[in-house]
Amino acid sequence: MVVNNKVDSLSYDVEAPPAQAPTTPAVVSAPPTPRGEAPAMTTTAAAELHKVSVPERRSTAKALRQRLAEVFFPDDPLHQFKNQSSARRLVLALQYFFPIFHWGSDYSLRLLRSDVGISYAKLANLPPIIGLYSSFVPPLIYSLLGSSRDLAVGPVSIASLVMGSMLRQAVSPDQEPILYLQLAFTSTFFAGVFQASLGFLRLGFIVDFLSKATLTGFMGGAAIIVSLQQLKGLLGIIHFTSQMGFVQVMHSVFKHHDEWAWQTILMGVAFLAVLLTTRHISARNPKLFWVSAAAPLTSVIISTIISFVSKAHGISVIGDLPKGLNPPSANMLTFSGSYVGLALNTGIMTGILSLTEGIAVGRTFASINNYQVDGNKEMMAIGVMNMAGSCASCYVTTGSFSRSAVNYSAGCKTAVSNIVMASAVLVTLLFLMPLFHYTPNVILSAIIITAVIGLIDVRGAARLWKVDKLDFLACMAAFLGVLLVSVQMGLAIAVGISLFKILLQVTRPNMVVKGVVPGTASYRSMAQYREAMRVPSFLVVGVESAIYFANSMYLGERIMRFLREEDERAAKCNQCPVRCIILDMSAVAAIDTSGLDALAELKKVLEKRNIELVLANPVGSVTERLYNSVVGKTFGSDRVFFSVAEAVAAAPHKTQP
């Protein structure tokens, strides 16, 4: 990509790597110099040096208050309460904590017509009725507390998979179904507490440690695992492994090949083909969204009729499902015993994943419809929703991309779509449950496979390979971790790689050697701008990261390596050695005491070699800390410059090449 950039009436192109960008010099021509090197610098009569200003002095309390406000309240949520009457503040507070009061006053029949959409519950490895329960209470609560107009909530495949795999390692849902339900509800409660706490304490940035690359790999691997788990229903296998690994699942599939039922396979493959075809049709033509949206329900109805007519010969069916509203389950929450740790770990894991997915989906549709979603409010809404749901026979729920996409395509405009969905589930729970007696389990497996297959983002992985090889490595590590080891290990790898990447960028910041672009006063990376030329006797180094204790030693080592390489090049070309190092700090956003000490130590080392170290263009916070420390006095105001250009122009007053 080439972007035209005009400087001093001359036209230059911003190039892709070999060549980069930062500051400004003031130079005049001198006698011819070797190719690739700028003429020797001389000071012009008109050269003017600008003083580097120190920000207005703040008290410690004020500085701390401003810093905490930036960390925990970057969106300034209390701004709307300023200069308002007490009554108005009460109304705004109600609208803030219960967004339904904000958009409810403007609700109309036209919006109601838009909000009528179609949705269905994805089933985890809990009883099917729990999936329906989880599609009734949580949407009602979210419609009151959620800030997204487009998010449709309910059970999602990834959180269901993680919960099932973690709990099933300790408790069998077949042998101890009551204990398994207790742990599922307790895990959901812990997930809700964790999510609401993050929102209340304004700690939503913690969720951001799962990068898009690792999530792509994790969700792709999890989607394959979910699909493989459905082979039990798709093939009619009775005895199936409780493990989640690819190898173990495939071994169980072929080990029990004698249990395969051809009637089940025939029905499963046929309906899976239909569901995938409708999905493809809707993807090719968004106006036909209703084709894929209606396909699951239509498949359930048709397969149930076929099963009823054939008396379910050779096909496993759901059986009797209890009628009625969600039974209370607060008495099933357990906070003591040997399984509390498992429930807590499962709750945190599923809480993180469901938050990440829900907020990402909400922000995606908010961006499409040009409004903002408050991440911390969403965390509180999802957390309260799961806490309440755990007391009403529901397990972990969050925003579902597939449901939200259907709502968006159907023209839904507000959170009332969640109320409409809950109403449909209510009617089903009260009156339609007997109709599902003959629903084949195989159709549920086909629906789940169709739902999760879209999580396998091959094109996204290909883009990662093209743009960032390290991101691609993180993606594949998470993918293979889920696929070959376990879901928990895949999630651990995803988080670990995300943290490692952050640590790598912090401890090994990018540093570049800069040269002056001919005809301009700009110093740019010589690795990016091939036409940039060195300045004799000078080494201009750009630091493109904050300087902290974690990278301060590397900073000194890297600059000394740049100096050695530059001296070797100068000696080879019979040129002047470096006499002044200019540290361009325009991209250094912050510095701590370890960083200041590292600069002071580097200055001492260079002075012993008769080389001067000067700083150019420090930002406000760096300048403030510099002049508040002893290091600032060591450098003095005559070694801290407004720009690289002024540092070069002023240097001859102090050093001679």
Side-chain angles (χ1 to χ4, degrees), residues 535-609:
V535 180
S537 303
F538 288 87
L539 174 61
V540 182
V541 178
V543 183
E544 300 178 343
S545 170
I547 302 176
Y548 292 122
F549 64 92
N551 60 24
S552 57
M553 292 297 294
Y554 173 78
L555 175 75
E557 293 171 356
R558 194 67 183 88
I559 290 176
M560 295 305 294
R561 177 180 162 189
F562 279 140
L563 177 61
R564 185 185 73 244
E565 293 171 350
E566 185 63 18
D567 281 343
E568 290 175 354
R569 186 201 63 80
K572 186 176 180 180
C573 298
N574 196 24
Q575 298 171 2
C576 297
V578 173
R579 287 290 175 261
C580 180
I581 295 179
I582 301 174
L583 204 59
D584 183 1
M585 303 184 69
S586 58
V588 179
I591 191 169
D592 66 359
T593 53
S594 297
L596 292 171
D597 291 341
L599 291 180
E601 185 64 28
L602 179 62
K603 185 175 182 296
K604 291 178 183 178
V605 172
L606 293 174
E607 283 177 346
K608 293 178 181 179
R609 299 178 58 173

Side-chain angles (χ1 to χ4, degrees), residues 243-481:
Q243 298 181 355
M244 308 294 288
F246 175 82
V247 176
Q248 296 91 330
V249 171
M250 295 309 297
H251 178 265
S252 180
V253 167
F254 290 104
K255 179 181 179 181
H256 300 102
H257 66 277
D258 55 318
E259 297 180 3
W260 294 7
W262 67 267
Q263 301 96 327
T264 302
I265 296 174
L266 180 62
M267 177 178 284
V269 172
F271 279 103
L272 182 60
V274 170
L275 290 168
L276 292 176
T277 301
T278 58
R279 181 187 181 92
H280 179 71
I281 292 173
S282 296
R284 292 287 299 272
N285 188 350
K287 292 183 178 180
L288 297 177
F289 74 92
W290 56 269
V291 174
S292 62
L297 181 59
T298 305
S299 299
V300 168
I301 294 173
I302 295 175
S303 63
T304 301
I305 293 173
I306 294 174
S307 179
F308 175 76
V309 172
S310 64
K311 302 301 180 183
H313 181 69
I315 299 176
S316 172
V317 297
I318 291 177
D320 293 328
L321 293 175
K323 291 173 59 177
L325 298 178
N326 299 32
S329 58
N331 61 317
M332 298 187 71
L333 301 181
T334 175
F335 303 107
S336 61
S338 57
Y339 293 111
V340 174
L342 173 63
L344 179 61
N345 292 336
T346 303
I348 293 176
M349 284 285 193
T350 54
I352 291 175
L353 281 175
S354 57
L355 268 187
T356 303
E357 181 173 357
I359 293 177
V361 173
R363 286 176 174 169
T364 298
F365 287 98
S367 175
I368 293 173
N369 292 319
N370 195 29
Y371 68 94
Q372 288 186 327
V373 168
D374 187 328
N376 289 293
K377 285 172 65 177
E378 285 296 284
M379 290 179 186
M380 287 192 286
I382 294 174
V384 172
M385 177 180 75
N386 280 316
M387 283 191 289
S390 67
C391 299
S393 300
C394 305
Y395 75 108
V396 174
T397 53
T398 188
S400 164
F401 184 83
S402 58
R403 288 184 182 85
S404 302
V406 170
N407 280 2
Y408 173 76
S409 300
C412 297
K413 302 296 183 183
T414 70
V416 169
S417 59
N418 280 293
I419 299 177
V420 173
M421 179 182 70
S423 301
V425 176
L426 173 63
V427 172
T428 302
L429 288 171
L430 292 178
F431 306 109
L432 304 181
M433 298 309 295
L435 300 180
F436 292 101
H437 177 89
Y438 283 98
T439 299
N441 284 311
V442 65
I443 195 63
L444 302 181
S445 297
I447 290 173
I448 292 173
I449 292 174
T450 306
V452 302
I453 202 169
L455 298 176
I456 304 174
D457 190 0
V458 178
R459 292 183 179 178
R463 285 194 297 269
L464 290 175
W465 170 260
K466 183 178 180 180
V467 176
D468 190 329
K469 301 298 189 293
L470 184 59
D471 269 353
F472 177 78
L473 178 63
C475 173
M476 294 308 299
F479 175 79
L480 295 175

